[in-house]
Amino acid sequence: MGGPGDPPEGTPEGAPAGGEDEYRSVVFDESFVRAARLQEFSARERMADHAPAVRRRPALQRGLSRQALILVLLIAVAFGTAIYMGVRHPYQNPVAQPPEPLRMTVIPLAPQTPVPGATNVDDLYAHSPAAQFGVGAEGIALPASRRTAHFSDSQVVAALTTAKDYLVKSSLDPEVLTGGTDRPVRILLDPQQLDQFDQSFTHPAADGRHAPTGWLVRFDTARTELADLRIRVQGTLQAAESGPDTLEVVADHTFVYALRPTGADSRAKASLFTVRRELHFRFDRDDLRMHQAELVVSSLQAGPLACADASVDRLRPLLAGQTAKAGGPAATDPYATGSAAALCGSLATSAQPKI
């Protein structure tokens, strides 16, 4: 008995088994018909309008679906947001504060006895507290650097190195010491301190803000010259962060210079001149990148100097054999940490060579 789809008389002889139609593969489904560009008019339409048998249908819109379009837009917005956040994130770095004006103190130390002298500079150093000091830049040693909460090892090293360079240029460079130039010091300062620096040299004043000797060591070469370029140095450098965006370095060093009168020959007696400098540097991230520093505090004690002859422009040391009235009630030793005088002090006898 045939199935429900079989002809009443059964499958014709020679037809495919199972009722398979050999034309089934070419039968068009409904979607194919709807997509056809040509559509046949009905008999009624052809009779009424005498129109052609077929008419052209408008092309189907094959654009993106609404869901696909929304997805593309979401991806574009997310990509644009990522780029924007990478260029300008919401947690902006704080605006750098302008550097504070440098606060400086220059304290002359007057000798209580005639200044010792010797023709042999090495003898002077050997019989002074500077006998074991380092020579030149080698005497300014960098401490072992350690990263802080917000600054890497390399950034701490950069701050310490800049502070050392400032000390070398402002305290050891012969051209700076003799007043030939101040540029090596100037280029190490934060640009926003340059106006104060320049005013200190064009219009020096003893106002705690505009003394050239607050920025660097400079001698009056009309009276004094270096007897030896091997300046003795000893001191410390310490770095610490004072905030998430600021590093501070404190430099405390004693420099000892051998001097003699300008124009004197090598047989003239030389004497030692001691300068104790305590400098406080501040660095923001721009300073670290540019190898510059903000000099915040400068304290200088120097002797032997006559208090009455103290100058904010240049240092005028007392030389071998010269004397001056003690300028303070208590002796001050520039080699001893923690000692300072208010305006003018007396140079301790222990700070002088035992010649």
Side-chain angles (χ1 to χ4, degrees):
M1 183 175 180
D6 294 334
E9 294 81 7
T11 304
E13 185 178 356
E20 291 291 339
D21 187 352
E22 62 178 329
Y23 296 105
R24 181 172 297 179
S25 61
V26 297
V27 173
F28 304 131
D29 59 13
E30 184 179 356
S31 62
F32 182 85
V33 173
R34 286 200 305 267
R37 300 295 303 276
L38 299 178
Q39 182 182 31
E40 183 179 6
F41 286 102
S42 67
R44 186 181 301 275
E45 289 174 327
R46 292 199 300 272
M47 292 176 61
D49 298 332
H50 304 285
V54 296
R55 60 183 172 189
R56 185 174 295 277
R57 300 178 64 183
L60 293 176
Q61 298 295 327
R62 297 186 180 272
L64 295 175
S65 66
R66 178 177 297 179
Q67 291 82 355
L69 181 60
I70 292 175
L71 180 61
V72 170
L73 289 176
L74 288 175
I75 294 174
V77 170
F79 185 71
T81 302
I83 294 177
Y84 176 81
M85 294 291 287
V87 174
R88 184 177 181 179
H89 54 80
Y91 303 102
Q92 294 294 322
N93 292 329
V95 178
Q97 297 296 322
E100 298 178 8
L102 171 61
R103 305 188 307 275
M104 59 184 68
T105 305
V106 179
I107 303 170
L109 303 177
Q112 302 177 76
T113 58
V115 177
T119 55
N120 190 324
V121 171
D122 290 334
D123 285 343
L124 282 173
Y125 281 124
H127 292 86
S128 77
Q132 303 302 319
F133 282 17
V135 177
E138 295 180 358
I140 306 175
L142 295 180
S145 63
R146 293 182 180 179
R147 62 172 301 157
T148 65
H150 300 93
F151 292 89
S152 65
D153 285 336
S154 61
Q155 289 175 314
V156 175
V157 170
L160 291 168
T161 302
T162 303
K164 176 178 178 176
D165 289 346
Y166 188 93
L167 288 169
V168 170
K169 295 302 182 182
S170 64
S171 307
L172 300 175
D173 189 328
E175 288 295 314
V176 173
L177 296 175
T178 57
T181 181
D182 56 36
R183 187 176 183 278
V185 179
R186 190 179 189 274
I187 62 176
L188 291 173
L189 290 170
D190 187 288
Q192 296 187 70
Q193 285 193 304
L194 296 182
D195 286 343
Q196 183 186 5
F197 180 87
D198 293 339
Q199 187 175 349
S200 298
F201 289 85
T202 56
H203 300 91
D207 58 0
R209 291 286 190 271
H210 300 96
T213 48
W215 299 96
L216 49 82
V217 177
R218 183 167 70 167
F219 296 110
D220 182 358
T221 54
R223 301 167 54 175
T224 304
E225 67 181 20
L226 293 170
D228 188 357
L229 296 179
R230 298 173 299 162
I231 300 163
R232 304 309 198 260
V233 187
Q234 181 171 284
T236 60
L237 283 168
Q238 295 180 335
E241 72 171 49
S242 58
D245 298 289
T246 307
L247 271 176
E248 291 190 353
V249 173
V250 177
D252 189 352
H253 290 78
T254 300
F255 302 85
V256 186
Y257 305 86
L259 306 174
R260 62 166 50 100
T262 298
D265 59 31
S266 59
R267 293 172 296 179
K269 287 186 176 183
S271 59
L272 297 185
F273 185 75
T274 304
V275 174
R276 167 87 175 277
R277 300 187 77 193
E278 183 176 339
L279 305 179
H280 292 232
F281 300 93
R282 183 175 297 163
F283 300 85
D284 58 28
R285 298 183 190 279
D286 287 338
D287 292 326
L288 295 175
R289 187 177 66 256
M290 300 301 295
H291 192 63
Q292 296 171 333
E294 302 171 19
L295 184 55
V296 182
V297 177
S298 170
S299 176
L300 180 144
Q301 303 173 48
L305 279 173
C307 294
D309 198 25
S311 171
V312 297
D313 184 22
R314 299 171 187 268
L315 298 173
R316 297 184 174 90
L318 293 171
L319 302 176
Q322 296 180 336
T323 59
K325 183 179 179 180
T332 301
D333 186 348
Y335 292 93
T337 60
S339 61
L343 296 175
C344 185
S346 295
L347 182 64
T349 304
S350 60
Q352 297 277 45
K354 303 298 188 292
I355 295 295

